[in-house]
């Protein structure tokens, strides 16, 4: 990441130990250190080389094709998947690769007949991402181009590979189904083969309750008219060791538990008991699966076996062999009287030995001898050697594993015969359901082979992705010849090269009787001291680490030699070939005379390498399509998306490797219209002119001084980091424009606020003055009213006084006149008094007026 791409204010992704990646904003840059304020409010310091730019313009619901992301990098991919998963959008494209995130819940509306009809004939990418879209593209390509196609489904245990494979076959059956032999359709038999194969090839593991412990390639054959005409199922590397060795919280293969839950008459017939009573099952304390009824599953398996053409008699023989293996596991040994010899331990062991012999229809004494003795043939004589108890247990387990693997191979072959293959078929669609990359605390030979397979498939995947990149470049007519393609051939050479590869050294060690896991490990250390893909752990003498494309895996070599040896012990072969049960005898056909006298070594690793080589040749002859299944959480519950878990699976599934390949070329592609829409602000004068879109894009890029980009016919192709550089310059231009806009808006807002405040002040003043005037008016009015009242009161008092005095004067005058007649003197005297009173009243009236 170039520092020019990151500026203060940039939105970036920084690493986080819990969430894998956390988004934040750059608040300070100091040399090569960035100070980032994350979305949860914390401030972290990160190296500039370890941060990635975040696209703040990504749609809220994410994008359905991650090639549409502006920044095609790990945190961007993770965030897009998480966003879509929250909306129950479990499918997302990365180009023509489909990523399927297990929802851990039923979504029937996604897989009904109506949905199948919608995707039938629809162009890829026209509708939302879906497993049906991939199947439809494969089918249309086969019909239109006459070329075989393959769909590779991968992912870790619990990611949903088996369910995805079922949906693919359902859709292909919907497109090309027709009746087959005996009224049963070919597609029905193929689909019904799933529960049969799951019963005998699937088991509960740490990560999944129904984990396929084998690889499966279903070859669906079509006739000229595009109808299904036949099918074949090929299997790879059944985990044989699981028959005898399991640990908590895992289970053995489902069929053992189904048989123990069979109807009472069958349980009695095979003298079975609770799973806890069998050694091959009670090494783990997990006997039942949540939400699964083994009794019902047993009947469902029998019905499925009917559909795929396994007769009632053959079904009984199959479960008789399964019961025999359970009883065989309970046979124990004790030290015999002779040195390094062994005998049947007790009566309980003797009972299980006899039951094993009865079920396999062989002689009990011969079975006992085959378990505790070995016959060595020399040119001079035949020597019978006894085995000690430990070796006898190894012999017992070897027999159990051999019988079970032969049984599984027979079931697969029977299904193929029953379904029927079309020798005249010109086209096939192959569906590969194979185990994903595995890395546990303890990794043994099975993980080694599984990861070897994934390295091979990853190389095929990388080549396909690079080819798709080339086709895109050629379609757009751009120069791509200088793009370097980094291969993982060095890892494959380390594993499979002959001579000198790990498998070759393992085979060599297996052929020497004195070889041990320690001598094998030491041989590896001596052979690859400077190989950058091979690492010797410091604290172990028997472990080795391989640097795979998905990360380093440490393998424990302790059981590599035992698990690589696949020979049928001569005594076991003779015993079972002579079985009176034609089914059992058919599992062990007579060997050529020269090979029947001794136990000849056969390498599982080498045979698996040949199988894988054959598979790769088949895949190379087809047009591949990829589905990467992802398990969002280890709790196997819906609505939980664990970032660290998903990131690891994206690495293991090669999705991030595909992104790395894309980044080696031109990871960012934008149509001319999209480019101008996003970056036209960098050169407004270009947009103002009447230039062709392609020319306009070229002018913008040249103006900004970018080098190494390419102009296609319809798209601009940018190298890794150039999108971030353009975005940084766009952010700068937009930032400056934003400042101008902000300044103008702030000026406008402040003036508007000022005018508003001034008008408010004037109005307030007016209101205040009016209020004061009202108060003054009221006061004056009240004062005037009070004066008027006083005046009226005085007038009223004067009037009353005047009236009273006037009345008194009249009365007095009247009296005085009356008295005048009597007494003139008195009349005069009163007259004077009346005159004075009148003068007083007049004076009083004058004062009042």
């Amino acid at each position: 990441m170039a520092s020019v791409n990151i500026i203060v204010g940039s939105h970036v992704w920084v690493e986080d130990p819990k969430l894998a990646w956390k988004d934040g904003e750059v608040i300070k840059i100091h040399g090569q250190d960035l100070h980032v304020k994350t979305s949860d409010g914390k401030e972290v310091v990160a190296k500039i080389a370890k941060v990635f730019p975040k696209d703040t313009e990504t749609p809220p619901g994410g994008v359905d094709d991650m090639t549409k992301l502006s920044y095609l990098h790990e945190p961007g991919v993770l965030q897009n998947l998480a966003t879509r998963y929250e909306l129950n959008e479990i499918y997302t494209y990365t180009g023509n690769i489909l990523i399927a995130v297990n929802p851990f819940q039923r979504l029937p509306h996604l897989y009904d007949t109506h949905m199948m009809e919608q995707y039938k004939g629809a162009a890829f990418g026209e509708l939302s991402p879906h497993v049906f879209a991939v199947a439809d593209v494969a089918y249309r390509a086969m019909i239109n181009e006459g070329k075989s196609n393959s769909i590779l489904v991968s992912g870790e245990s619990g990611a949903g590979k088996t369910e995805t494979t079922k949906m693919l076959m359902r859709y292909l059956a919907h497109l090309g189904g027709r009746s087959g032999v005996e009224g049963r359709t070919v597609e029905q038999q193929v689909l019904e083969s799933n529960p049969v194969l799951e019963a005998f090839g699937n088991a509960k593991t740490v990560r999944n309750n129904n984990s396929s412990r084998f690889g499966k390639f279903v070859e669906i054959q079509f006739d000229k008219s595009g109808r299904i005409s036949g099918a074949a199922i090929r299997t790879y590397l059944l985990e044989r060791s699981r028959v005898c060795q399991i640990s908590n919280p895992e289970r053995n293969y489902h069929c053992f538990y189904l048989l123990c839950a069979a109807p009472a008459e069958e349980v009695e017939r095979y003298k079975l008991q609770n799973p806890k009573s069998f050694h091959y099952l009670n090494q783990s304390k997990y006997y039942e699966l949540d939400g699964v009824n083994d009794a019902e599953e047993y009947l469902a398996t029998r019905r499925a076996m009917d559909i795929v053409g396994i007769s009632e008699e053959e079904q009984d023989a199959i479960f008789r062999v399964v019961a025999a293996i359970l009883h065989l596991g309970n046979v124990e040994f004790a030290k015999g009287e002779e040195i390094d010899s062994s005998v049947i331990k007790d009566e309980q062991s003797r009972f299980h030995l006899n039951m094993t012999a009865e079920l396999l229809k062989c002689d009990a004494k011969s079975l006992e001898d085959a378990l505790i003795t070995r016959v060595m043939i020399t040119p001079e004589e035949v020597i019978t050697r006894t085995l000690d108890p430990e070796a006898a247990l190894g012999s017992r387990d070897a027999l159990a594993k051999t019988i079970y693997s032969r049984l599984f191979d027979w079931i697969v072959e029977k299904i193929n015969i029953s379904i029927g293959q079309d020798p005249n078929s010109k086209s096939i669609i192959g569906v590969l359901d194979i185990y994903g990359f595995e890395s546990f605390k303890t990794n043994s030979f099975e993980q080694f082979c599984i990861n070897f397979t994934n390295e091979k498939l990853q190389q095929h995947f990388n080549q396909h992705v690079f080819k798709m990149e080339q086709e895109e470049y050629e379609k757009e007519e751009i120069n791509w010849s200088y793009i370097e393609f980094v291969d993982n051939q060095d890892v494959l050479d380390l594993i499979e090269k002959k001579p000198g590869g790990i498998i070759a050294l393992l085979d060599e060690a297996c052929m020497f009787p004195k070889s041990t896991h320690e001598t094998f490990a030491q041989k590896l250390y001596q052979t690859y001291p400077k190989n950058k893909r091979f690492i010797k752990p410091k604290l172990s003498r028997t472990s080795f680490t391989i640097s795979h494309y998905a990360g380093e895996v440490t393998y424990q070599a302790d059981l590599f030699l035992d698990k690589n040896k696949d020979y049928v012990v001569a005594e076991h072969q003779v015993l079972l070939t002579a079985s009176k049960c034609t089914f059992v005898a058919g599992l062990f056909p007579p060997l050529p005379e020269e090979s029947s006298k001794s136990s000849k070594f056969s390498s599982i690793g080498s045979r698996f390498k040949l199988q894988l080589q054959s598979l790769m040749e088949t895949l190379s002859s087809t047009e591949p399509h990829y589905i990467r299944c992802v398990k969002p959480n280890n709790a196997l519950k819906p609505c939980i998306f664990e970032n660290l878990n998903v990131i690891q699976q994206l690495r293991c599934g090669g999705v991030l490797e595909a992104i790395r390949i894309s980044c080696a070329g031109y990871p960012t592609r934008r149509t001319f219209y999209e480019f101008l829409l996003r970056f036209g602000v960098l050169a407004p004068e270009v947009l103002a002119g009447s230039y062709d879109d392609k020319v306009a894009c070229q002018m913008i890029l040249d103006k900004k001084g970018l080098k190494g980009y390419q102009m296609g016919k319809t798209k601009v192709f940018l190298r890794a980091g150039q999108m971030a550089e353009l975005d940084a310059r766009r952010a700068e231009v937009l930032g400056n424009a934003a400042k101008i806009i902000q300044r103008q808006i702030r000026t406008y807002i402040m003036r508007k606020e000022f005018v508003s405040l001034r008008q408010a002040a004037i109005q307030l003043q007016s209101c205040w003055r009016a209020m004061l005037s009202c108060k003054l008016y009221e006061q004056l009015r009240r004062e005037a009213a009070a004066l008027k009242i006083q005046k009226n009161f005085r007038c009223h008092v004067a009037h009353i006084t005047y009236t009273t005095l006037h009345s008194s004067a009249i009365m007095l005058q009247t009296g005085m006149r009356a008295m005048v007649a009597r007494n003139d003197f008195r009349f005069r005297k009163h007259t004077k008094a009346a005159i004075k009173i009148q003068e007083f009243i007049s004076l009083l009236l004058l004062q009042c007026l």
Side-chain angles (χ1 to χ4, degrees), residues 19 34 44 98 110-111 159-160 176 194 208 223 243 262 297 300 329 371 453 628 638 715 730 743 820:
L19 300 176
L34 295 180
V44 298
L98 178 68
L110 284 181
Y111 308 106
N194 281 322
N208 182 12
D223 59 19
V243 177
E297 288 298 315
L371 293 176
T453 303
R628 292 296 192 244
K715 297 178 183 177
R730 176 174 176 264
R743 186 167 61 245
V820 167

Side-chain angles (χ1 to χ4, degrees), residues 143-199:
I143 295 297
N144 298 332
E145 301 170 17
K147 184 179 180 180
S148 295
N149 282 249
S150 59
I151 303 172
L152 284 71
V153 183
S154 66
E156 75 167 41
S157 181
K161 300 187 298 296
T162 302
E163 287 300 315
T164 299
T165 303
K166 289 178 185 177
M167 295 305 166
L168 285 169
M169 290 196 288
R170 273 189 59 205
Y171 186 79
L172 292 174
H174 178 74
L175 292 179
R178 77 173 182 188
S179 295
V181 184
E182 299 177 5
R184 293 190 303 269
T185 62
V186 171
E187 60 272 14
Q188 186 182 10
Q189 293 182 79
V190 171
L191 292 172
E192 285 297 336
S193 70
N194 281 322
V196 178
L197 293 175
E198 285 179 16

Side-chain angles (χ1 to χ4, degrees), residues 19-40:
L19 300 176
W21 295 96
K22 188 181 290 186
D23 63 321
E25 182 179 349
V26 178
I27 56 177
K28 186 168 66 174
I29 301 177
H30 183 70
Q32 293 298 309
D33 293 333
L34 295 180
H35 293 257
V36 180
K37 187 175 183 180
T38 59
S39 53
D40 56 3

Side-chain angles (χ1 to χ4, degrees), residues 99 142 152 284 315 451 542 570 630 650 706 768 794-795 814:
I99 298 175
M142 180 196 70
L152 284 71
S284 167
Q315 291 178 38
N451 292 343
T542 59
V630 174
L650 293 178
L706 264 66
W768 184 254
R794 288 182 184 139
C795 291
T814 303

Side-chain angles (χ1 to χ4, degrees), residues 61-66 80-81 83-85 87-94 97-103 107 109-111 115 119 127-134 153 159-161 163-168 626-630:
V63 295
D64 59 5
D65 187 342
M66 287 193 283
N80 191 61
L81 288 178
T83 300
R84 289 178 61 78
Y85 187 71
L87 303 174
N88 261 348
E89 297 285 351
I90 62 173
Y91 295 117
T92 306
Y93 293 132
T94 298
I97 303 162
L98 178 68
I99 298 175
V101 185
N102 194 337
L107 301 173
H109 65 283
L110 284 181
Y111 308 106
M115 190 65 74
Y119 280 89
L127 301 176
S128 298
H130 202 290
V131 65
F132 292 162
V134 177
V153 183
K161 300 187 298 296
E163 287 300 315
T164 299
T165 303
K166 289 178 185 177
M167 295 305 166
L168 285 169
Y626 292 90
I627 299 177
R628 292 296 192 244
C629 297
V630 174

